[in-house]
Amino acid sequence: MYVVVKRFFLKNLYKYIGLVGVTILLSAFSNLLFAQTRFTINGYVRDSANGESLIGASVAINGMNEGVTTNTFGFYSISLPAGNYTITFSYLGYESLEQTISLSHNLTLNIQLHTKPLAGKEVVISSQRKDENVTATEMGKIDLSVKKIKELPALFGEVDILKALQLLPGVQSNEGTAGLYIRGGSPDQNLILLDDAPVYNPGHLFGFFSVFNSDAINDVTLIKGGMPANYGGRLSSVVDVNMKEGNNKSFHGEGGIGLIASRLSIEGPIKKNKSSYIISARRTYADLLTKPFVPKSSSFHGSGYYFYDLNAKANYIFSDKNRLYLSGYFGRDVFNFTSSERSFSTNIPWGNATATLRWNHLFGPKLFSNTMLLYNDYNFDFNATQNNLTIGLHSGIRDESIRSDLDYFASPKHQIKFGGQYTYHTFTPSTLSGNSGNNSFNPENPFVKRANEGAVYFLDNWTVSKRIKVNAGVRYSIFVQTGPYKIYREDNEGNKIDSTVYKSFQPVKIYSGLAPRLIARYELNTNSSLKASVTRNYQYVHLVSSNTTTLPTDLWVPSTYKVKPEMVWQYSLGYFRNFRENEFETSLEVYYKSLQNQIEFAEGYIPSLADPENSFVFGKGWAYGAELFVHKQRGRLTGWVGYTLSWVWRQFPALNNGQQYPSRFDRRNDIDVVVAYRLSDKWTLAGDFVFNTGNPVTLPERFYFMEGVLSEQYSRLNAYRMKPYNRLDLSATYRPTPKPNRKFSHSWSFSVYNAYSRLNPYFIYFNQQGDYLNGTLKIQAKKVALFPVIPSVTWNFKF
């Protein structure tokens, strides 16, 4: 690698090694102090039925104010003086287990918990600890059970994880789309991970469905408040999605047949209790169903649209100290259009591919490591043919990464986490190629950009006292745009007059930043606490769009010599309280975000094959608001009510005459009500209601003719609002009693999306009729709505 880049990375790597070295020395000194009196108990907590790791399970020492929770892979470690102890292992929805031990040496204790039968009134809506809402330091963190998500009403019957997240306070969406707008942020400001690999476009069908097949997902976590130091690279939130590991006890399968798509998953042991796999696939089939009804004589024969997903994962437990995982995702949307009358055809595929190779290693009873090789690739292609002319357009982004996270359980009061990550980015904006007869052109894209991104972090989850707990950390990141690259110098008329050429790996521009994170909890009593957080984040990759939803044609661009990294300070304060032995969770959070180096397209921007960063303008933004959350997580009736009051502002010197204006993500009020009721062992009813203030919109205020052409004079940016959005969805799930001694079971899901057929505005256009020459011209605003009432039915099965 080029010398300057190498020096810069090595210099900061040495800082990181020094930091880790100090940590290890301090830990070693601590061990020496307590070597005669303290020993370590460690192990894994797993599901007894399928061997899946239980994340966040509680490990508590009876009669003492000591305890820990399991990490992302179900591992725990706790150090105690020699003696006799009773340890309680618990996890919501599972039967607690007590183990009595005599501790006189380091001990490995692996635990398997049994699911609690859903007899009587017990129903579980989340997968977190019973009191985590009050006791944990995290703010704005919500874990949702995939099982409960499957009971919610769904558009066209397709269960959607991201749409379930849209029903939470602080999370906004647009009609039908899978994009997330969190606390005033844009969709690209969310770090969406699938088995730790970033997913750049999380939507199918132009964003109306997410790419996550719920049958392959184990758990989903949203962090929208205080982001801990082990996450970075985005400003607004983390959506951490983990795939199932696969059943290592016995073979099983599940699937479903719906109105527009079907899915199938199989999982089982490769070697019982040692190794397992899961393979999950999903495909829409509207194109297959309509194909027989389109005659070959039709000019549109051969046209159609479909999407598909494939998830796969395998793992092997070599010992209690070593486990290897390999997981991947591949998904595509494919649109075909044919017009035989014009001898024209087009093929437009786009989608994501991710891969994760993971090694879990236990260096000692206290030090757990998770090392990964990560790959992700997002591509959009447009291919068109007419007569002898063929044209292709390609764009995308590809990442190759290595990452290592280490958990050090220094003591029950200190759970330390540190690690680092390196990523090599390749950004490909629109690349045009084609051929006509014997002539072809396939020029090298001069706008391809490459970059190196690195980060190191350190955090300590410190129990200061019984009442005070602190999560303090820091993250240092660096971003280097590198060659091969060419910078052109232009004259006042935009003509290129000379250039500066950068060779491979030669730095073009270097950015770096230190991001401190501080999250604190003060426990008022066993049922309530106060929490506060201050966090700073940097974002070096950007999605710049003029649309309100994520489209496959949107371009990801890096920070460059022209484009500075985005930065945010976020401040949060919250009151958290549980009622009726943690059956009800409530919280009230207020926040303020200050955003720098925000990016928009210049006024009058028209997409072209030129370098898009030449059309960027830069400014600042700020957002503030309050979020109320009431969550009932057990009993026959479960669900939540969320309310968000918020303001989101932007100010760009080159837009709106330099005056501040409401962002297109600004909504004053947002109300979400989600309810599920277990009517009997066979029937579960569910519903959700959504109400929010209409989106800001820029509209023409005057129409006039100039040289016989109708022209428009627009208002200030986002000076008007759409009508308020509201919608009611209903669903019912029927589970027949399975026959004795049979593995096969099935259920029916009936849902109604937009039950009272509210025609919510998606966008507004202006229609003109008549002729201005004879005085009959009329201009009228027209509203376009996407979805009326949509009933659906899905048959689900397991074996």
Side-chain angles (χ1 to χ4, degrees), residues 38-42 78-79 103-108 364-366:
R38 285 187 175 253
F39 300 98
T40 300
I41 313 157
N42 67 11
I78 187 169
S79 298
L103 188 61
S104 58
H105 55 83
N106 290 342
L107 178 66
T108 297
K366 296 183 178 183

Side-chain angles (χ1 to χ4, degrees), residues 400-684:
E400 296 149 309
S401 307
I402 182 170
R403 173 178 164 183
S404 185
D405 299 312
L406 295 100
D407 291 314
Y408 183 69
F409 297 81
S411 71
K413 294 183 181 297
H414 291 275
Q415 294 185 38
I416 295 169
K417 194 176 185 73
F418 57 93
Q421 180 172 355
Y422 166 78
T423 301
Y424 183 71
H425 300 282
T426 303
F427 300 83
T428 305
S430 300
T431 303
L432 185 65
S433 62
N435 63 76
S436 178
N438 296 324
N439 300 317
S440 63
F441 60 99
N442 190 17
E444 182 178 349
N445 191 334
F447 306 125
V448 172
K449 297 181 177 70
R450 300 165 180 85
N452 299 273
E453 183 176 0
V456 292
Y457 72 89
F458 179 91
L459 68 87
D460 184 6
N461 203 16
W462 177 24
T463 303
V464 181
S465 66
K466 182 179 179 180
R467 292 184 180 273
I468 301 174
K469 193 172 183 179
V470 174
N471 186 312
V474 63
R475 184 181 184 91
Y476 177 80
S477 59
I478 176 174
F479 189 89
V480 184
Q481 181 195 0
T482 62
Y485 193 67
K486 183 181 291 187
I487 297 177
Y488 293 97
R489 192 162 64 92
E490 299 176 346
D491 60 21
N492 294 332
E493 296 179 356
N495 300 313
K496 297 175 182 177
I497 53 178
D498 65 7
S499 63
T500 303
V501 177
Y502 294 86
K503 298 178 181 179
S504 295
F505 297 109
Q506 183 178 0
V508 179
K509 184 66 178 179
I510 298 175
Y511 295 102
S512 63
L514 197 65
R517 317 281 175 85
L518 180 62
I519 313 165
R521 180 223 70 195
Y522 180 78
E523 189 173 299
L524 299 172
N525 52 51
T526 56
N527 295 320
S528 62
S529 64
L530 291 173
K531 300 181 187 181
S533 69
V534 179
T535 59
R536 188 185 196 186
N537 277 329
Y538 287 90
Q539 180 166 329
Y540 299 101
V541 298
H542 324 278
L543 180 70
V544 186
S545 172
S546 57
N547 304 291
T548 57
T549 184
T550 301
L551 297 177
T553 52
D554 292 340
L555 295 177
W556 286 89
V557 296
S559 295
T560 66
Y561 72 102
K562 286 186 177 181
V563 182
K564 294 181 180 180
E566 299 174 74
M567 192 271 283
V568 66
W569 279 103
Q570 181 171 193
Y571 310 89
S572 301
L573 179 66
Y575 174 70
F576 298 77
R577 183 175 179 86
N578 288 3
F579 296 91
R580 291 179 59 175
E581 298 183 347
N582 304 309
E583 182 178 339
F584 287 88
E585 296 179 344
T586 64
S587 63
L588 175 63
E589 293 186 50
V590 294
Y591 65 89
Y592 178 86
K593 293 171 69 173
S594 174
L595 301 116
Q596 303 298 321
N597 303 328
Q598 298 301 284
I599 306 172
E600 294 284 359
F601 280 116
E603 290 183 358
Y605 167 74
I606 300 175
S608 69
L609 296 179
D611 192 340
E613 69 181 34
N614 293 327
S615 300
F616 294 165
V617 293
F618 307 95
K620 63 181 180 179
W622 57 99
Y624 49 92
E627 299 167 1
L628 174 67
F629 189 46
V630 180
H631 180 192
K632 187 176 187 295
Q633 60 176 354
R634 297 199 314 274
R636 283 187 179 273
L637 180 68
T638 57
W640 64 83
V641 177
Y643 172 68
T644 305
L645 174 67
S646 64
W647 290 261
V648 186
W649 298 96
R650 295 289 188 267
Q651 188 171 23
F652 287 68
L655 298 177
N656 204 46
N657 296 320
Q659 298 179 355
Q660 72 179 51
Y661 61 91
S663 164
R664 63 179 180 269
F665 315 121
D666 177 67
R667 287 186 188 159
R668 198 68 63 245
N669 300 284
D670 199 320
I671 301 172
D672 301 287
V673 181
V674 178
V675 176
Y677 182 71
R678 190 163 181 255
L679 190 63
S680 66
D681 290 340
K682 294 183 177 182
W683 285 97
T684 299

